[in-house]
């Protein structure tokens, strides 16, 4: 009988422990479940910020200058029909996501400056701490230049979002990893008042040391007025990709219809300029060799076929002047291509001695590369190929001869 009591006590103790464990587990699981909070004011939105929370906004205007979301997990801010975030904080809406994971759904972020004034308005997104993750889903960015500082190890994902009527352009990106999927960019880059649009629709700056790619997948670019699609300041290695995107009636379509990106393989051939070996940053694209324009001008300066390279701000074009010595700007003939790159058709206009030219060019890592034979024909210098020696020759003592 005593043994039965002991066994019974042990069974009850085990059962109690199991119940306690299950209760604690249930509490823990419940803590991870998403809670829903309705916020009718900016203050209620800020008070509701917590991990594992979906905050639903009413279909009204929210004048939010700056919103900091620090060290939170699984935060969703969801708008209903008519919800707008208005930029009234020194002309900007600043979103600092810290080390959080945040989703913005069905929101419109709009320029709303005081009447009669103009701001270089930005939807400014900061996520410089490791593992910051921000997703825009089904949003509209209206009248704003979007600027993102996404640090190394952070990510920015934009899906089914429209960017429209942004007078200065579309966006500036800085490092990090960004994906734009099924987004539409329309009616941007037409300027406003005395403010000219930025030269390129997208600027990708890799100066923060990140190697994360910038990718546009299934996106539509239509009726944008920037001079070119994309430029970059590549202080470090980086890449961008265009996948199944469509382009129509954009400023960068003029003269050269937008074509699909191409693979650029570093040119392995030896290059001789007037018999002297030179190391160019050159690429082979679809069987043709493309050289950086300023590198060619640099090595040919002082010869009979020299030419100057400049920028015509009024015409927004690269200006070339034949017979004039080249003015170095720094960075010429430095580095050599390594690894296959993505080459996008360049939108750059070319003005030679006051007349516009139509030349095939690609943009690689923020620089324009031109077909060597096109430049040879333009400035009438000899371009040759020695297949046995795998050598490209440039000879300024002779004129250009077609293949």
């Amino acid at each position: 009988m005593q043994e039965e009591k002991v066994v019974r006590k042990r069974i009850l103790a085990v059962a109690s422990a199991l119940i306690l464990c299950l209760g604690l587990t249930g509490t823990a699981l419940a803590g991870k479940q998403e809670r829903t909070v309705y916020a009718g004011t900016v203050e209620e939105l800020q008070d509701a910020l917590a991990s594992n929370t979906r905050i639903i906004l009413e279909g009204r205007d929210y004048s939010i200058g700056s919103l900091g979301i620090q060290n939170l997990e699984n935060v969703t801010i969801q708008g209903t029909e008519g919800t707008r975030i208005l930029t009234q904080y020194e002309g900007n809406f600043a979103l600092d996501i810290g080390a959080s994971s945040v989703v913005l759904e069905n929101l419109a972020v709009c320029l709303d400056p005081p009447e009669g004034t103009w701001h270089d308005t930005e939807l400014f997104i900061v996520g410089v701490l490791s593992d910051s993750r921000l997703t825009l889903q089904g949003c509209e960015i209206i009248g704003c230049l979007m600027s993102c500082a996404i640090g190394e190890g952070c990510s920015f994902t934009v899906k089914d979002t429209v960017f429209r009527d942004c007078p200065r352009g579309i966006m500036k990106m800085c490092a990090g990893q960004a994906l734009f999927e099924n987004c539409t960019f329309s009616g941007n880059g037409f300027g406003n008042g005395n403010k000219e649009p930025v030269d390129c629709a997208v600027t990708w700056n890799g100066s923060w040391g990140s190697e994360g790619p910038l990718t546009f997948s299934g996106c539509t670019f239509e009726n944008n007025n920037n001079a070119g699609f994309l430029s970059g300041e590549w202080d470090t290695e980086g890449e961008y990709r265009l996948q199944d995107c469509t382009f129509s009636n954009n400023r960068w379509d003029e003269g050269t219809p937008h074509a699909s990106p191409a693979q650029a393989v570093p040119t392995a051939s030896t290059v001789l300029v007037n018999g002297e070996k030179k190391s160019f940053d050159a690429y082979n694209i679809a069987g043709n060799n493309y050289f950086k324009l300023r590198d060619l001008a640099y090595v040919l300066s002082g010869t009979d076929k020299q030419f100057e390279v400049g920028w015509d701000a009024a015409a927004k074009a690269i200006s070339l002047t034949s017979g004039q010595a080249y003015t170095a700007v720094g960075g010429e003939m430095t580095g050599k291509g390594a690894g296959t790159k993505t080459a996008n058709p360049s939108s750059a206009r070319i003005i030679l001695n006051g007349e516009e030219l139509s030349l095939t060019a690609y943009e690689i890592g923020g620089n324009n590369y031109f077909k060597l034979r096109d430049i040879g024909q333009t400035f009438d210098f000899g371009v040759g190929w020695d297949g046995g020696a795998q050598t490209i020759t440039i000879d300024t003592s002779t004129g250009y001869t077609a293949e």
Side-chain angles (χ1 to χ4, degrees), residues 189-206:
F190 284 88
N192 187 311
N194 63 347
K195 296 290 185 178
E196 293 292 330
V198 293
D199 288 337
C200 290
V202 181
T203 299
W204 172 243
N205 187 331

Side-chain angles (χ1 to χ4, degrees), residues 250-391:
N250 299 293
R251 170 65 180 83
W252 54 83
D253 286 333
E254 291 182 9
T256 304
H258 192 90
S260 300
Q263 282 195 331
V265 179
T267 297
S269 306
T270 300
V271 182
L272 299 179
V273 179
N274 295 333
E276 184 178 349
K277 184 177 179 180
K278 299 288 185 179
S279 181
F280 284 91
D281 180 23
Y283 292 87
N284 188 286
I285 302 173
N288 295 294
N289 289 298
Y290 286 76
F291 285 60
K292 197 183 296 183
L293 186 61
R294 286 189 175 274
D295 283 355
L296 287 170
Y298 182 84
V299 299
L300 296 182
S301 191
T303 72
D304 292 339
K305 304 301 170 69
Q306 67 183 5
F307 62 94
E308 174 67 299
V309 179
W311 172 250
D312 186 336
K316 295 185 177 179
I318 297 170
S319 62
L320 304 177
T321 307
S322 58
Q324 187 172 320
Y326 174 69
T327 303
V329 295
E332 292 88 354
M333 299 301 290
T334 57
K336 186 173 175 62
T340 300
K341 306 289 186 183
T342 297
N344 288 286
S346 174
S347 61
R349 297 175 62 205
I350 305 296
I351 306 295
L352 171 64
N353 301 329
E355 299 292 331
E356 185 161 359
L357 298 180
S358 179
L359 299 177
T360 301
Y362 282 90
E363 191 276 333
I364 304 172
N367 293 298
N368 289 307
Y369 291 75
F370 289 78
K371 190 186 298 185
L372 178 59
R373 285 196 168 272
D374 283 352
I375 301 300
Q377 184 175 18
T378 299
F379 295 101
D380 195 29
F381 59 79
V383 177
W385 167 247
D386 185 339
Q390 293 291 295
T391 298

Side-chain angles (χ1 to χ4, degrees), residues 58-89:
E58 296 178 358
R60 55 180 295 271
D61 291 347
Y62 290 75
S63 295
I64 300 175
S66 181
L67 187 63
I69 304 176
Q70 303 292 332
N71 303 313
L72 300 179
E73 289 294 322
N74 304 320
V75 177
T76 298
I77 301 176
Q78 177 183 324
T80 53
E81 185 176 357
T83 302
R84 299 195 310 168
I85 303 295
L86 299 184
T87 63
Q88 293 186 339
Y89 175 72

Side-chain angles (χ1 to χ4, degrees), residues 233-252:
E233 299 174 7
W234 295 91
D235 297 331
T236 60
E237 188 66 23
E239 60 181 309
Y240 61 87
R241 303 167 184 161
L242 295 174
Q243 301 172 345
D244 300 321
C245 294
T246 59
F247 296 78
S248 63
N249 197 33
N250 299 293
R251 170 65 180 83
W252 54 83

